[in-house]
Amino acid sequence: MVSESSSFIKGVVLGGVFCVLVTLLGHFKMGHGTRAHHHEHHHIQAPNKEDVLNLSEDERLELSQSIRVFCIILVKPKDLGHWAAVKETWSKHCDKAEFYSSENIKVFNSVVLDTNDMWMMMRKAYKLTYERYKDEFNWFFLAYPTTFAIIENLKYFLLKKDPAQPFYIGHTVKSGDLEYVDSEGGIVLSIGSLRRLSRIFEDTDKCPEQGGMIWKLSEDKQLAVCLKYTGVIAENAEDSEGKDIFNTKSVNTLIKEAMANHPEQVVDGCCSDMAITFNGLTPNHMHVMMYGVYRLRPYGHTYNDALIFLPPEGSDND
């Protein structure tokens, strides 16, 4: 996924520039506010090109087929537009994707959780996912409906990582003494970490269903508290050059920031070629991203990727 990923990000940037124009003309509200990013946390990097080329052809095939990603998308009735966009775009590239909703919505199939509390939704979704799919999938990616994900890049990032180990991966943030993965950029759990999480769910003193009694933690912080009791710590995901690959902002926001801060190198200053997620997108912008990532190709350009991640059987996308 290395050389083709460069084309991916170029397509993404073209889509992002279009989004910027839409933003400037239509007063589009930008993603979410910037959060302080601290660097005391653990860093975990994607493999580089040489790592993959040194593998035998049989090893490459075995690895590409062994990485199976289950996608969890948490939705509410107010998210119908985004829900439809995610269903029609990137979620089809998951090996399996399910929408977990706060209540029953007739227009879309979903797993009904019967709660509006985001921590309870996340907790129930993980519990049900583990019970149903612990023997079928080795990686579990959770996202909100405003997130756009490039699953092939996620699989490349996970290429040589052992899912039996307790990996908890994404864009990490430090809040006081707590380090956690920001849910706006998506959260990745290995089957090893999900197994530990399912056990700690049974201990309501260490992992309460309703969060703190005095103040309420956000769902991503509460998840980190529960995982910390199991020995699973947040890992900041980066490409082989040290750039973040789980983004809590939209492409147009990142491009605008790069234009302001690094006008001489907008593409390099914007985001990683191996970016996995962007957040804060409108439904229309998701379709623009889909075009930039999966459709647009420069004529005459050749691709020499050592690995191919084929779409799931039955998928009508690419």
Side-chain angles (χ1 to χ4, degrees):
M1 293 289 298
V2 177
S3 59
E4 188 170 358
S5 69
S6 296
S7 177
F8 275 11
I9 196 63
K10 290 173 185 174
V12 167
V13 168
L14 285 176
V17 170
F18 174 77
C19 292
V20 170
L21 293 176
V22 172
T23 300
L24 296 177
L25 293 174
H27 305 290
F28 172 67
K29 181 180 179 182
M30 297 299 172
H32 298 270
T34 302
R35 298 191 183 187
H37 190 118
H38 299 267
H39 290 278
E40 293 86 355
H41 47 252
H42 291 73
H43 299 250
I44 184 169
Q45 293 191 335
N48 56 41
K49 186 176 182 178
E50 288 68 29
D51 290 335
V52 178
L53 293 176
N54 288 334
L55 297 172
S56 70
E57 187 172 344
D58 287 342
E59 286 176 319
R60 295 175 193 171
L61 179 61
E62 182 180 356
L63 281 172
S64 65
Q65 292 178 340
S66 68
I67 301 172
R68 290 178 51 77
V69 176
F70 181 88
C71 295
I72 301 166
I73 302 101
L74 301 181
V75 292
K76 292 185 176 181
K78 64 182 179 62
D79 303 320
L80 282 180
H82 286 90
W83 187 340
V86 171
K87 186 176 178 62
E88 289 301 315
T89 57
W90 66 264
S91 67
K92 292 183 178 182
H93 289 252
C94 304
D95 291 291
K96 184 177 179 62
E98 282 190 348
F99 293 81
Y100 290 78
S101 59
S102 57
E103 59 189 83
N104 184 44
I105 304 295
K106 292 182 179 179
V107 292
F108 291 119
N109 291 326
S110 66
V111 179
V112 181
L113 301 175
D114 290 323
T115 178
N116 281 302
D117 181 87
M118 287 304 297
W119 166 235
M120 283 299 295
M121 285 182 65
M122 182 181 284
R123 184 187 176 102
K124 284 187 173 183
Y126 275 133
K127 189 173 187 298
L128 288 170
T129 295
Y130 180 73
E131 291 172 353
R132 296 175 180 180
Y133 302 113
K134 61 184 177 183
D135 297 323
E136 295 183 45
F137 300 92
N138 45 21
W139 297 99
F140 300 84
F141 172 64
L142 182 143
Y144 296 149
T146 53
T147 302
F148 185 95
I150 304 167
I151 298 301
E152 291 81 0
N153 283 1
L154 173 58
K155 288 187 174 184
Y156 178 77
F157 175 79
L158 298 172
L159 190 62
K160 299 183 73 175
K161 295 170 179 59
D162 182 1
Q165 297 302 311
F167 284 106
Y168 164 44
I169 303 167
H171 175 89
T172 57
V173 179
K174 189 174 178 65
S175 176
D177 293 330
L178 180 68
E179 293 181 85
Y180 65 98
V181 170
D182 191 331
S183 54
E184 291 181 350
I187 299 171
V188 176
L189 296 181
S190 65
I191 182 61
S193 60
L194 186 57
R195 183 176 293 114
R196 294 190 185 192
L197 182 63
S198 68
R199 292 176 187 146
I200 201 67
F201 280 158
E202 305 303 319
D203 188 338
T204 54
D205 290 330
K206 293 179 178 179
C207 187
E209 292 186 356
Q210 299 298 334
M213 296 298 292
I214 300 176
W215 64 85
K216 188 172 179 60
L217 295 177
S218 63
E219 63 274 14
D220 43 15
K221 291 181 182 179
Q222 186 62 62
L223 175 65
V225 169
C226 295
L227 285 170
K228 197 170 183 179
Y229 276 112
T230 73
V232 180
I233 58 174
E235 305 273 9
N236 193 66
E238 303 167 352
D239 66 14
S240 58
E241 297 178 356
K243 294 180 181 178
D244 286 342
I245 52 180
F246 286 82
N247 295 292
T248 59
K249 300 178 182 178
S250 61
V251 176
N252 52 322
T253 301
L254 293 169
I255 291 175
K256 286 191 69 176
E257 290 179 354
M259 286 177 173
N261 301 323
H262 310 284
E264 72 288 349
Q265 48 177 355
V266 173
V267 175
D268 288 339
C270 159
C271 17
S272 168
D273 285 356
M274 291 304 302
I276 293 172
T277 63
F278 297 95
N279 187 56
L281 280 74
T282 67
N284 285 343
H285 289 168
M286 285 197 183
H287 289 284
V288 172
M289 288 285 290
M290 199 67 181
Y291 171 74
V293 172
Y294 290 106
R295 308 286 189 225
L296 184 63
R297 294 288 186 272
Y299 180 78
H301 188 74
T302 58
Y303 306 100
N304 300 300
D305 289 340
L307 287 165
I308 296 177
F309 296 110
L310 297 175
E313 185 177 349
S315 170
D316 59 359
N317 238 349
D318 303 296

